[in-house]
Amino acid sequence: MPPQNDFLSARFGLDGQRALLTGSSQGIGYALALGLARAGAAVVLNGRNAAKLHTARAALLDACPSAQVDTLCFDVTDHDAVRKAVDAYELETGSIDILVNNAGMQHRTPLEDFPADRFEMLMQTNVSSVFNVGQAVARYMIGRGKGRIINICSVQTALARPGIAPYTATKGAVANLTKGMATDWAKHGLQCNAIAPGYFETPLNAALVADPEFTAWLEKRTPAGRWGKVDELVGACVFLSSGAASFVNGHVLFVDGGISVSL
């Protein structure tokens, strides 16, 4: 029997793999990129702002000097731009073995007053982006007969709160799109799954983190009694990216401190 560390490395290690993470210049995307790099994967950071990507790359290399880190600047809501960027990267640099669709946005307004343009922007950023990048990358994964796609959902995939109904709708759509990806692409050797974070301390939640009343509510509502830390999402991402998840498909893994299972 091989030593335990060899077994774990063989099942969970990501050496020789390359992961593209959308929206990874900060927050959850950056934390997942750092986690995958520490697990042995080469990582490709994505965002619309080249300067922020450069800063994120420098920070990641400072935290993990052995990492191989590229940047790929494109707008995930632009289908043609996504296709061109992915095509060029696959042709000129190498294969994308793991895709983490993390790019997303939030807008909080009572539904009766919700601006139509913000609704459309939410749909484009949170849902269309998953289709755009997922399709562009999957075409190559299908040709190779293998690949991992991980879509970032939310606890709002299953639950709702006042003022964010459109966001809730987008995350429900991402969960069902994940199931559709698995249904269409599992036969080609792809594993398509999702992670649904609960409430984490991120730039997207900065206003809520700074609100003592909301934090007190959250601590009472969540069985774990606290906000999540972004590095607590890394284990789920490494698992779904690895050979250990070779028969996991169409699954939404909640990482939420128990908030989605408790009244």
Side-chain angles (χ1 to χ4, degrees), residues 68-108:
Q68 178 183 329
V69 188
D70 292 333
T71 61
L72 197 56
C73 189
F74 60 82
D75 182 348
V76 294
T77 69
D78 185 332
H79 186 270
D80 290 340
V82 169
R83 183 71 180 273
K84 289 176 182 177
V86 170
D87 285 351
Y89 192 89
E90 284 269 352
L91 178 64
E92 298 168 8
T93 305
S95 63
I96 297 168
D97 309 293
I98 301 160
L99 168 63
V100 181
N101 277 310
N102 169 74
M105 66 169 292
Q106 175 65 286
H107 184 79
R108 296 180 175 90

PDB file of all heavy atoms in Angstrom, residues 68-108:
ATOM      1  N   GLN A  68       2.903  29.019 -10.911  1.00  0.00           N
ATOM      2  CA  GLN A  68       2.920  29.492 -12.294  1.00  0.00           C
ATOM      3  C   GLN A  68       1.628  30.273 -12.499  1.00  0.00           C
ATOM      4  O   GLN A  68       0.527  29.709 -12.399  1.00  0.00           O
ATOM      5  CB  GLN A  68       2.994  28.333 -13.280  1.00  0.00           C
ATOM      6  CG  GLN A  68       2.975  28.772 -14.743  1.00  0.00           C
ATOM      7  CD  GLN A  68       2.970  27.603 -15.715  1.00  0.00           C
ATOM      8  OE1 GLN A  68       3.515  26.545 -15.427  1.00  0.00           O
ATOM      9  NE2 GLN A  68       2.339  27.804 -16.858  1.00  0.00           N
ATOM     10  N   VAL A  69       1.738  31.562 -12.773  1.00  0.00           N
ATOM     11  CA  VAL A  69       0.563  32.433 -12.822  1.00  0.00           C
ATOM     12  C   VAL A  69       0.555  33.242 -14.118  1.00  0.00           C
ATOM     13  O   VAL A  69       1.502  33.976 -14.401  1.00  0.00           O
ATOM     14  CB  VAL A  69       0.526  33.405 -11.624  1.00  0.00           C
ATOM     15  CG1 VAL A  69      -0.804  34.169 -11.603  1.00  0.00           C
ATOM     16  CG2 VAL A  69       0.740  32.661 -10.307  1.00  0.00           C
ATOM     17  N   ASP A  70      -0.507  33.104 -14.901  1.00  0.00           N
ATOM     18  CA  ASP A  70      -0.739  33.926 -16.078  1.00  0.00           C
ATOM     19  C   ASP A  70      -1.935  34.833 -15.817  1.00  0.00           C
ATOM     20  O   ASP A  70      -2.719  34.611 -14.884  1.00  0.00           O
ATOM     21  CB  ASP A  70      -1.034  33.067 -17.306  1.00  0.00           C
ATOM     22  CG  ASP A  70       0.163  32.255 -17.766  1.00  0.00           C
ATOM     23  OD1 ASP A  70       1.305  32.687 -17.516  1.00  0.00           O
ATOM     24  OD2 ASP A  70      -0.056  31.179 -18.358  1.00  0.00           O
ATOM     25  N   THR A  71      -2.099  35.842 -16.640  1.00  0.00           N
ATOM     26  CA  THR A  71      -3.298  36.673 -16.600  1.00  0.00           C
ATOM     27  C   THR A  71      -3.936  36.677 -17.985  1.00  0.00           C
ATOM     28  O   THR A  71      -3.241  36.582 -18.998  1.00  0.00           O
ATOM     29  CB  THR A  71      -2.985  38.120 -16.175  1.00  0.00           C
ATOM     30  OG1 THR A  71      -2.098  38.721 -17.111  1.00  0.00           O
ATOM     31  CG2 THR A  71      -2.368  38.147 -14.778  1.00  0.00           C
ATOM     32  N   LEU A  72      -5.245  36.773 -18.008  1.00  0.00           N
ATOM     33  CA  LEU A  72      -5.997  36.811 -19.267  1.00  0.00           C
ATOM     34  C   LEU A  72      -7.118  37.822 -19.081  1.00  0.00           C
ATOM     35  O   LEU A  72      -8.101  37.561 -18.378  1.00  0.00           O
ATOM     36  CB  LEU A  72      -6.539  35.414 -19.580  1.00  0.00           C
ATOM     37  CG  LEU A  72      -6.998  35.136 -21.010  1.00  0.00           C
ATOM     38  CD1 LEU A  72      -5.889  35.422 -22.017  1.00  0.00           C
ATOM     39  CD2 LEU A  72      -7.477  33.687 -21.145  1.00  0.00           C
ATOM     40  N   CYS A  73      -6.952  38.982 -19.698  1.00  0.00           N
ATOM     41  CA  CYS A  73      -7.879  40.094 -19.504  1.00  0.00           C
ATOM     42  C   CYS A  73      -8.974  40.065 -20.571  1.00  0.00           C
ATOM     43  O   CYS A  73      -8.689  40.222 -21.763  1.00  0.00           O
ATOM     44  CB  CYS A  73      -7.100  41.407 -19.553  1.00  0.00           C
ATOM     45  SG  CYS A  73      -8.069  42.852 -19.083  1.00  0.00           S
ATOM     46  N   PHE A  74     -10.209  39.830 -20.150  1.00  0.00           N
ATOM     47  CA  PHE A  74     -11.351  39.922 -21.060  1.00  0.00           C
ATOM     48  C   PHE A  74     -12.627  40.114 -20.256  1.00  0.00           C
ATOM     49  O   PHE A  74     -12.669  39.855 -19.052  1.00  0.00           O
ATOM     50  CB  PHE A  74     -11.467  38.690 -21.968  1.00  0.00           C
ATOM     51  CG  PHE A  74     -11.654  37.378 -21.262  1.00  0.00           C
ATOM     52  CD1 PHE A  74     -12.906  36.968 -20.812  1.00  0.00           C
ATOM     53  CD2 PHE A  74     -10.582  36.523 -21.053  1.00  0.00           C
ATOM     54  CE1 PHE A  74     -13.087  35.745 -20.171  1.00  0.00           C
ATOM     55  CE2 PHE A  74     -10.745  35.293 -20.419  1.00  0.00           C
ATOM     56  CZ  PHE A  74     -12.003  34.910 -19.979  1.00  0.00           C
ATOM     57  N   ASP A  75     -13.661  40.590 -20.921  1.00  0.00           N
ATOM     58  CA  ASP A  75     -14.962  40.827 -20.306  1.00  0.00           C
ATOM     59  C   ASP A  75     -15.813  39.571 -20.472  1.00  0.00           C
ATOM     60  O   ASP A  75     -16.160  39.188 -21.594  1.00  0.00           O
ATOM     61  CB  ASP A  75     -15.634  42.027 -20.984  1.00  0.00           C
ATOM     62  CG  ASP A  75     -16.991  42.385 -20.387  1.00  0.00           C
ATOM     63  OD1 ASP A  75     -17.536  41.593 -19.593  1.00  0.00           O
ATOM     64  OD2 ASP A  75     -17.512  43.467 -20.728  1.00  0.00           O
ATOM     65  N   VAL A  76     -16.156  38.936 -19.356  1.00  0.00           N
ATOM     66  CA  VAL A  76     -16.883  37.664 -19.407  1.00  0.00           C
ATOM     67  C   VAL A  76     -18.279  37.809 -19.996  1.00  0.00           C
ATOM     68  O   VAL A  76     -18.889  36.812 -20.385  1.00  0.00           O
ATOM     69  CB  VAL A  76     -16.981  37.021 -18.011  1.00  0.00           C
ATOM     70  CG1 VAL A  76     -15.616  36.614 -17.492  1.00  0.00           C
ATOM     71  CG2 VAL A  76     -17.690  37.948 -17.023  1.00  0.00           C
ATOM     72  N   THR A  77     -18.804  39.034 -20.088  1.00  0.00           N
ATOM     73  CA  THR A  77     -20.148  39.217 -20.643  1.00  0.00           C
ATOM     74  C   THR A  77     -20.138  39.371 -22.163  1.00  0.00           C
ATOM     75  O   THR A  77     -21.203  39.427 -22.788  1.00  0.00           O
ATOM     76  CB  THR A  77     -20.842  40.452 -20.029  1.00  0.00           C
ATOM     77  OG1 THR A  77     -20.189  41.652 -20.468  1.00  0.00           O
ATOM     78  CG2 THR A  77     -20.811  40.391 -18.509  1.00  0.00           C
ATOM     79  N   ASP A  78     -18.961  39.449 -22.755  1.00  0.00           N
ATOM     80  CA  ASP A  78     -18.811  39.630 -24.201  1.00  0.00           C
ATOM     81  C   ASP A  78     -18.476  38.277 -24.834  1.00  0.00           C
ATOM     82  O   ASP A  78     -17.339  37.828 -24.782  1.00  0.00           O
ATOM     83  CB  ASP A  78     -17.712  40.650 -24.472  1.00  0.00           C
ATOM     84  CG  ASP A  78     -17.567  41.001 -25.954  1.00  0.00           C
ATOM     85  OD1 ASP A  78     -17.878  40.157 -26.814  1.00  0.00           O
ATOM     86  OD2 ASP A  78     -17.102  42.119 -26.249  1.00  0.00           O
ATOM     87  N   HIS A  79     -19.468  37.640 -25.449  1.00  0.00           N
ATOM     88  CA  HIS A  79     -19.298  36.282 -25.962  1.00  0.00           C
ATOM     89  C   HIS A  79     -18.154  36.185 -26.961  1.00  0.00           C
ATOM     90  O   HIS A  79     -17.325  35.266 -26.891  1.00  0.00           O
ATOM     91  CB  HIS A  79     -20.603  35.813 -26.607  1.00  0.00           C
ATOM     92  CG  HIS A  79     -20.584  34.378 -27.046  1.00  0.00           C
ATOM     93  ND1 HIS A  79     -20.171  33.988 -28.302  1.00  0.00           N
ATOM     94  CD2 HIS A  79     -20.926  33.232 -26.390  1.00  0.00           C
ATOM     95  CE1 HIS A  79     -20.249  32.677 -28.407  1.00  0.00           C
ATOM     96  NE2 HIS A  79     -20.708  32.191 -27.261  1.00  0.00           N
ATOM     97  N   ASP A  80     -18.078  37.120 -27.878  1.00  0.00           N
ATOM     98  CA  ASP A  80     -17.024  37.070 -28.897  1.00  0.00           C
ATOM     99  C   ASP A  80     -15.644  37.293 -28.294  1.00  0.00           C
ATOM    100  O   ASP A  80     -14.675  36.619 -28.669  1.00  0.00           O
ATOM    101  CB  ASP A  80     -17.286  38.114 -29.983  1.00  0.00           C
ATOM    102  CG  ASP A  80     -18.485  37.768 -30.851  1.00  0.00           C
ATOM    103  OD1 ASP A  80     -18.875  36.581 -30.879  1.00  0.00           O
ATOM    104  OD2 ASP A  80     -19.040  38.679 -31.493  1.00  0.00           O
ATOM    105  N   ALA A  81     -15.545  38.236 -27.353  1.00  0.00           N
ATOM    106  CA  ALA A  81     -14.259  38.508 -26.714  1.00  0.00           C
ATOM    107  C   ALA A  81     -13.783  37.303 -25.909  1.00  0.00           C
ATOM    108  O   ALA A  81     -12.584  36.982 -25.899  1.00  0.00           O
ATOM    109  CB  ALA A  81     -14.370  39.737 -25.814  1.00  0.00           C
ATOM    110  N   VAL A  82     -14.711  36.642 -25.237  1.00  0.00           N
ATOM    111  CA  VAL A  82     -14.366  35.430 -24.474  1.00  0.00           C
ATOM    112  C   VAL A  82     -13.813  34.368 -25.405  1.00  0.00           C
ATOM    113  O   VAL A  82     -12.759  33.764 -25.147  1.00  0.00           O
ATOM    114  CB  VAL A  82     -15.602  34.894 -23.720  1.00  0.00           C
ATOM    115  CG1 VAL A  82     -15.319  33.504 -23.151  1.00  0.00           C
ATOM    116  CG2 VAL A  82     -16.012  35.844 -22.610  1.00  0.00           C
ATOM    117  N   ARG A  83     -14.530  34.128 -26.490  1.00  0.00           N
ATOM    118  CA  ARG A  83     -14.113  33.087 -27.436  1.00  0.00           C
ATOM    119  C   ARG A  83     -12.717  33.378 -28.004  1.00  0.00           C
ATOM    120  O   ARG A  83     -11.866  32.482 -28.073  1.00  0.00           O
ATOM    121  CB  ARG A  83     -15.140  33.005 -28.560  1.00  0.00           C
ATOM    122  CG  ARG A  83     -14.878  31.907 -29.589  1.00  0.00           C
ATOM    123  CD  ARG A  83     -15.142  30.518 -28.990  1.00  0.00           C
ATOM    124  NE  ARG A  83     -14.888  29.491 -29.972  1.00  0.00           N
ATOM    125  CZ  ARG A  83     -15.806  29.052 -30.860  1.00  0.00           C
ATOM    126  NH1 ARG A  83     -17.020  29.561 -30.857  1.00  0.00           N
ATOM    127  NH2 ARG A  83     -15.498  28.092 -31.701  1.00  0.00           N
ATOM    128  N   LYS A  84     -12.484  34.627 -28.389  1.00  0.00           N
ATOM    129  CA  LYS A  84     -11.180  34.995 -28.942  1.00  0.00           C
ATOM    130  C   LYS A  84     -10.064  34.814 -27.918  1.00  0.00           C
ATOM    131  O   LYS A  84      -8.979  34.313 -28.233  1.00  0.00           O
ATOM    132  CB  LYS A  84     -11.221  36.434 -29.437  1.00  0.00           C
ATOM    133  CG  LYS A  84     -12.055  36.626 -30.691  1.00  0.00           C
ATOM    134  CD  LYS A  84     -12.129  38.096 -31.087  1.00  0.00           C
ATOM    135  CE  LYS A  84     -13.009  38.285 -32.317  1.00  0.00           C
ATOM    136  NZ  LYS A  84     -13.152  39.721 -32.675  1.00  0.00           N
ATOM    137  N   ALA A  85     -10.306  35.226 -26.673  1.00  0.00           N
ATOM    138  CA  ALA A  85      -9.278  35.127 -25.637  1.00  0.00           C
ATOM    139  C   ALA A  85      -8.954  33.666 -25.316  1.00  0.00           C
ATOM    140  O   ALA A  85      -7.781  33.287 -25.189  1.00  0.00           O
ATOM    141  CB  ALA A  85      -9.736  35.852 -24.376  1.00  0.00           C
ATOM    142  N   VAL A  86      -9.987  32.847 -25.194  1.00  0.00           N
ATOM    143  CA  VAL A  86      -9.770  31.429 -24.877  1.00  0.00           C
ATOM    144  C   VAL A  86      -9.089  30.720 -26.048  1.00  0.00           C
ATOM    145  O   VAL A  86      -8.146  29.934 -25.856  1.00  0.00           O
ATOM    146  CB  VAL A  86     -11.103  30.742 -24.509  1.00  0.00           C
ATOM    147  CG1 VAL A  86     -10.928  29.218 -24.417  1.00  0.00           C
ATOM    148  CG2 VAL A  86     -11.625  31.287 -23.185  1.00  0.00           C
ATOM    149  N   ASP A  87      -9.542  30.995 -27.258  1.00  0.00           N
ATOM    150  CA  ASP A  87      -8.919  30.389 -28.442  1.00  0.00           C
ATOM    151  C   ASP A  87      -7.434  30.736 -28.510  1.00  0.00           C
ATOM    152  O   ASP A  87      -6.586  29.865 -28.765  1.00  0.00           O
ATOM    153  CB  ASP A  87      -9.609  30.875 -29.719  1.00  0.00           C
ATOM    154  CG  ASP A  87     -10.979  30.240 -29.942  1.00  0.00           C
ATOM    155  OD1 ASP A  87     -11.326  29.296 -29.205  1.00  0.00           O
ATOM    156  OD2 ASP A  87     -11.685  30.699 -30.863  1.00  0.00           O
ATOM    157  N   ALA A  88      -7.113  32.004 -28.296  1.00  0.00           N
ATOM    158  CA  ALA A  88      -5.719  32.439 -28.378  1.00  0.00           C
ATOM    159  C   ALA A  88      -4.876  31.786 -27.290  1.00  0.00           C
ATOM    160  O   ALA A  88      -3.738  31.348 -27.543  1.00  0.00           O
ATOM    161  CB  ALA A  88      -5.639  33.959 -28.269  1.00  0.00           C
ATOM    162  N   TYR A  89      -5.432  31.687 -26.079  1.00  0.00           N
ATOM    163  CA  TYR A  89      -4.665  31.092 -24.984  1.00  0.00           C
ATOM    164  C   TYR A  89      -4.406  29.608 -25.251  1.00  0.00           C
ATOM    165  O   TYR A  89      -3.288  29.118 -25.063  1.00  0.00           O
ATOM    166  CB  TYR A  89      -5.393  31.270 -23.649  1.00  0.00           C
ATOM    167  CG  TYR A  89      -4.508  30.922 -22.470  1.00  0.00           C
ATOM    168  CD1 TYR A  89      -3.700  31.883 -21.880  1.00  0.00           C
ATOM    169  CD2 TYR A  89      -4.455  29.618 -21.970  1.00  0.00           C
ATOM    170  CE1 TYR A  89      -2.863  31.560 -20.823  1.00  0.00           C
ATOM    171  CE2 TYR A  89      -3.630  29.293 -20.919  1.00  0.00           C
ATOM    172  CZ  TYR A  89      -2.833  30.271 -20.349  1.00  0.00           C
ATOM    173  OH  TYR A  89      -1.996  29.938 -19.305  1.00  0.00           O
ATOM    174  N   GLU A  90      -5.437  28.886 -25.664  1.00  0.00           N
ATOM    175  CA  GLU A  90      -5.279  27.462 -25.944  1.00  0.00           C
ATOM    176  C   GLU A  90      -4.263  27.238 -27.075  1.00  0.00           C
ATOM    177  O   GLU A  90      -3.479  26.294 -27.025  1.00  0.00           O
ATOM    178  CB  GLU A  90      -6.636  26.853 -26.326  1.00  0.00           C
ATOM    179  CG  GLU A  90      -7.576  26.627 -25.154  1.00  0.00           C
ATOM    180  CD  GLU A  90      -7.422  25.237 -24.557  1.00  0.00           C
ATOM    181  OE1 GLU A  90      -6.712  24.405 -25.138  1.00  0.00           O
ATOM    182  OE2 GLU A  90      -8.035  24.992 -23.500  1.00  0.00           O
ATOM    183  N   LEU A  91      -4.267  28.098 -28.059  1.00  0.00           N
ATOM    184  CA  LEU A  91      -3.371  27.941 -29.200  1.00  0.00           C
ATOM    185  C   LEU A  91      -1.936  28.317 -28.864  1.00  0.00           C
ATOM    186  O   LEU A  91      -0.992  27.617 -29.234  1.00  0.00           O
ATOM    187  CB  LEU A  91      -3.870  28.805 -30.366  1.00  0.00           C
ATOM    188  CG  LEU A  91      -3.004  28.799 -31.637  1.00  0.00           C
ATOM    189  CD1 LEU A  91      -2.981  27.397 -32.266  1.00  0.00           C
ATOM    190  CD2 LEU A  91      -3.520  29.824 -32.633  1.00  0.00           C
ATOM    191  N   GLU A  92      -1.771  29.406 -28.123  1.00  0.00           N
ATOM    192  CA  GLU A  92      -0.435  29.967 -27.917  1.00  0.00           C
ATOM    193  C   GLU A  92       0.235  29.521 -26.620  1.00  0.00           C
ATOM    194  O   GLU A  92       1.463  29.520 -26.534  1.00  0.00           O
ATOM    195  CB  GLU A  92      -0.523  31.499 -27.934  1.00  0.00           C
ATOM    196  CG  GLU A  92      -1.022  32.063 -29.254  1.00  0.00           C
ATOM    197  CD  GLU A  92      -1.386  33.528 -29.173  1.00  0.00           C
ATOM    198  OE1 GLU A  92      -1.097  34.149 -28.118  1.00  0.00           O
ATOM    199  OE2 GLU A  92      -1.965  34.049 -30.146  1.00  0.00           O
ATOM    200  N   THR A  93      -0.548  29.144 -25.606  1.00  0.00           N
ATOM    201  CA  THR A  93       0.040  28.848 -24.289  1.00  0.00           C
ATOM    202  C   THR A  93      -0.168  27.403 -23.861  1.00  0.00           C
ATOM    203  O   THR A  93       0.787  26.704 -23.530  1.00  0.00           O
ATOM    204  CB  THR A  93      -0.532  29.795 -23.222  1.00  0.00           C
ATOM    205  OG1 THR A  93      -0.320  31.155 -23.637  1.00  0.00           O
ATOM    206  CG2 THR A  93       0.144  29.565 -21.876  1.00  0.00           C
ATOM    207  N   GLY A  94      -1.398  26.935 -23.856  1.00  0.00           N
ATOM    208  CA  GLY A  94      -1.640  25.564 -23.428  1.00  0.00           C
ATOM    209  C   GLY A  94      -3.075  25.336 -23.017  1.00  0.00           C
ATOM    210  O   GLY A  94      -3.909  26.249 -23.063  1.00  0.00           O
ATOM    211  N   SER A  95      -3.357  24.123 -22.601  1.00  0.00           N
ATOM    212  CA  SER A  95      -4.728  23.714 -22.302  1.00  0.00           C
ATOM    213  C   SER A  95      -5.214  24.285 -20.985  1.00  0.00           C
ATOM    214  O   SER A  95      -4.455  24.458 -20.036  1.00  0.00           O
ATOM    215  CB  SER A  95      -4.823  22.189 -22.271  1.00  0.00           C
ATOM    216  OG  SER A  95      -4.022  21.666 -21.224  1.00  0.00           O
ATOM    217  N   ILE A  96      -6.504  24.566 -20.952  1.00  0.00           N
ATOM    218  CA  ILE A  96      -7.192  24.935 -19.718  1.00  0.00           C
ATOM    219  C   ILE A  96      -7.904  23.678 -19.239  1.00  0.00           C
ATOM    220  O   ILE A  96      -8.852  23.206 -19.867  1.00  0.00           O
ATOM    221  CB  ILE A  96      -8.183  26.087 -19.955  1.00  0.00           C
ATOM    222  CG1 ILE A  96      -7.424  27.350 -20.403  1.00  0.00           C
ATOM    223  CG2 ILE A  96      -9.002  26.364 -18.690  1.00  0.00           C
ATOM    224  CD1 ILE A  96      -8.334  28.437 -20.942  1.00  0.00           C
ATOM    225  N   ASP A  97      -7.426  23.124 -18.133  1.00  0.00           N
ATOM    226  CA  ASP A  97      -7.944  21.848 -17.627  1.00  0.00           C
ATOM    227  C   ASP A  97      -9.064  22.029 -16.618  1.00  0.00           C
ATOM    228  O   ASP A  97      -9.904  21.150 -16.433  1.00  0.00           O
ATOM    229  CB  ASP A  97      -6.808  21.055 -16.976  1.00  0.00           C
ATOM    230  CG  ASP A  97      -5.600  20.940 -17.878  1.00  0.00           C
ATOM    231  OD1 ASP A  97      -5.715  20.261 -18.918  1.00  0.00           O
ATOM    232  OD2 ASP A  97      -4.552  21.543 -17.574  1.00  0.00           O
ATOM    233  N   ILE A  98      -9.047  23.178 -15.935  1.00  0.00           N
ATOM    234  CA  ILE A  98     -10.024  23.484 -14.886  1.00  0.00           C
ATOM    235  C   ILE A  98     -10.552  24.894 -15.138  1.00  0.00           C
ATOM    236  O   ILE A  98      -9.771  25.819 -15.377  1.00  0.00           O
ATOM    237  CB  ILE A  98      -9.376  23.438 -13.487  1.00  0.00           C
ATOM    238  CG1 ILE A  98      -8.778  22.066 -13.202  1.00  0.00           C
ATOM    239  CG2 ILE A  98     -10.382  23.831 -12.406  1.00  0.00           C
ATOM    240  CD1 ILE A  98      -7.728  22.072 -12.092  1.00  0.00           C
ATOM    241  N   LEU A  99     -11.851  25.056 -15.105  1.00  0.00           N
ATOM    242  CA  LEU A  99     -12.458  26.377 -15.217  1.00  0.00           C
ATOM    243  C   LEU A  99     -13.281  26.651 -13.973  1.00  0.00           C
ATOM    244  O   LEU A  99     -14.139  25.837 -13.602  1.00  0.00           O
ATOM    245  CB  LEU A  99     -13.362  26.451 -16.449  1.00  0.00           C
ATOM    246  CG  LEU A  99     -14.274  27.685 -16.534  1.00  0.00           C
ATOM    247  CD1 LEU A  99     -13.464  28.969 -16.631  1.00  0.00           C
ATOM    248  CD2 LEU A  99     -15.248  27.561 -17.700  1.00  0.00           C
ATOM    249  N   VAL A 100     -13.034  27.780 -13.349  1.00  0.00           N
ATOM    250  CA  VAL A 100     -13.856  28.232 -12.217  1.00  0.00           C
ATOM    251  C   VAL A 100     -14.573  29.504 -12.650  1.00  0.00           C
ATOM    252  O   VAL A 100     -13.949  30.556 -12.821  1.00  0.00           O
ATOM    253  CB  VAL A 100     -13.014  28.492 -10.954  1.00  0.00           C
ATOM    254  CG1 VAL A 100     -13.923  28.937  -9.801  1.00  0.00           C
ATOM    255  CG2 VAL A 100     -12.232  27.244 -10.557  1.00  0.00           C
ATOM    256  N   ASN A 101     -15.881  29.401 -12.866  1.00  0.00           N
ATOM    257  CA  ASN A 101     -16.699  30.552 -13.248  1.00  0.00           C
ATOM    258  C   ASN A 101     -17.120  31.292 -11.987  1.00  0.00           C
ATOM    259  O   ASN A 101     -18.123  30.958 -11.346  1.00  0.00           O
ATOM    260  CB  ASN A 101     -17.934  30.079 -14.025  1.00  0.00           C
ATOM    261  CG  ASN A 101     -17.652  29.846 -15.490  1.00  0.00           C
ATOM    262  OD1 ASN A 101     -17.078  30.692 -16.162  1.00  0.00           O
ATOM    263  ND2 ASN A 101     -18.052  28.687 -15.986  1.00  0.00           N
ATOM    264  N   ASN A 102     -16.331  32.299 -11.633  1.00  0.00           N
ATOM    265  CA  ASN A 102     -16.545  33.010 -10.375  1.00  0.00           C
ATOM    266  C   ASN A 102     -17.052  34.432 -10.563  1.00  0.00           C
ATOM    267  O   ASN A 102     -17.641  35.004  -9.645  1.00  0.00           O
ATOM    268  CB  ASN A 102     -15.222  33.050  -9.593  1.00  0.00           C
ATOM    269  CG  ASN A 102     -15.280  33.996  -8.418  1.00  0.00           C
ATOM    270  OD1 ASN A 102     -15.894  33.707  -7.400  1.00  0.00           O
ATOM    271  ND2 ASN A 102     -14.648  35.163  -8.555  1.00  0.00           N
ATOM    272  N   ALA A 103     -16.854  35.039 -11.728  1.00  0.00           N
ATOM    273  CA  ALA A 103     -17.223  36.445 -11.920  1.00  0.00           C
ATOM    274  C   ALA A 103     -18.688  36.672 -11.570  1.00  0.00           C
ATOM    275  O   ALA A 103     -19.564  35.886 -11.946  1.00  0.00           O
ATOM    276  CB  ALA A 103     -16.956  36.864 -13.363  1.00  0.00           C
ATOM    277  N   GLY A 104     -18.937  37.735 -10.834  1.00  0.00           N
ATOM    278  CA  GLY A 104     -20.316  38.023 -10.449  1.00  0.00           C
ATOM    279  C   GLY A 104     -20.447  39.407  -9.852  1.00  0.00           C
ATOM    280  O   GLY A 104     -19.457  40.071  -9.542  1.00  0.00           O
ATOM    281  N   MET A 105     -21.692  39.856  -9.691  1.00  0.00           N
ATOM    282  CA  MET A 105     -21.964  41.168  -9.100  1.00  0.00           C
ATOM    283  C   MET A 105     -23.249  41.096  -8.290  1.00  0.00           C
ATOM    284  O   MET A 105     -24.021  40.138  -8.381  1.00  0.00           O
ATOM    285  CB  MET A 105     -22.076  42.247 -10.178  1.00  0.00           C
ATOM    286  CG  MET A 105     -23.262  42.069 -11.101  1.00  0.00           C
ATOM    287  SD  MET A 105     -23.559  43.502 -12.172  1.00  0.00           S
ATOM    288  CE  MET A 105     -24.096  44.729 -10.964  1.00  0.00           C
ATOM    289  N   GLN A 106     -23.473  42.124  -7.487  1.00  0.00           N
ATOM    290  CA  GLN A 106     -24.653  42.220  -6.645  1.00  0.00           C
ATOM    291  C   GLN A 106     -25.218  43.630  -6.760  1.00  0.00           C
ATOM    292  O   GLN A 106     -24.468  44.586  -7.014  1.00  0.00           O
ATOM    293  CB  GLN A 106     -24.275  41.910  -5.183  1.00  0.00           C
ATOM    294  CG  GLN A 106     -25.365  42.083  -4.160  1.00  0.00           C
ATOM    295  CD  GLN A 106     -26.525  41.123  -4.337  1.00  0.00           C
ATOM    296  OE1 GLN A 106     -27.323  41.297  -5.261  1.00  0.00           O
ATOM    297  NE2 GLN A 106     -26.626  40.133  -3.473  1.00  0.00           N
ATOM    298  N   HIS A 107     -26.534  43.759  -6.617  1.00  0.00           N
ATOM    299  CA  HIS A 107     -27.175  45.068  -6.540  1.00  0.00           C
ATOM    300  C   HIS A 107     -28.383  44.900  -5.623  1.00  0.00           C
ATOM    301  O   HIS A 107     -29.224  44.024  -5.856  1.00  0.00           O
ATOM    302  CB  HIS A 107     -27.617  45.563  -7.915  1.00  0.00           C
ATOM    303  CG  HIS A 107     -28.194  46.944  -7.889  1.00  0.00           C
ATOM    304  ND1 HIS A 107     -27.414  48.073  -7.825  1.00  0.00           N
ATOM    305  CD2 HIS A 107     -29.490  47.379  -7.900  1.00  0.00           C
ATOM    306  CE1 HIS A 107     -28.185  49.148  -7.803  1.00  0.00           C
ATOM    307  NE2 HIS A 107     -29.446  48.752  -7.851  1.00  0.00           N
ATOM    308  N   ARG A 108     -28.450  45.739  -4.591  1.00  0.00           N
ATOM    309  CA  ARG A 108     -29.497  45.598  -3.582  1.00  0.00           C
ATOM    310  C   ARG A 108     -30.495  46.747  -3.692  1.00  0.00           C
ATOM    311  O   ARG A 108     -30.162  47.897  -3.456  1.00  0.00           O
ATOM    312  CB  ARG A 108     -28.880  45.565  -2.178  1.00  0.00           C
ATOM    313  CG  ARG A 108     -27.977  44.366  -1.936  1.00  0.00           C
ATOM    314  CD  ARG A 108     -27.383  44.378  -0.527  1.00  0.00           C
ATOM    315  NE  ARG A 108     -26.614  43.173  -0.279  1.00  0.00           N
ATOM    316  CZ  ARG A 108     -25.313  43.034  -0.539  1.00  0.00           C
ATOM    317  NH1 ARG A 108     -24.641  44.047  -1.079  1.00  0.00           N
ATOM    318  NH2 ARG A 108     -24.693  41.907  -0.289  1.00  0.00           N
TER     319      ARG A 108
END
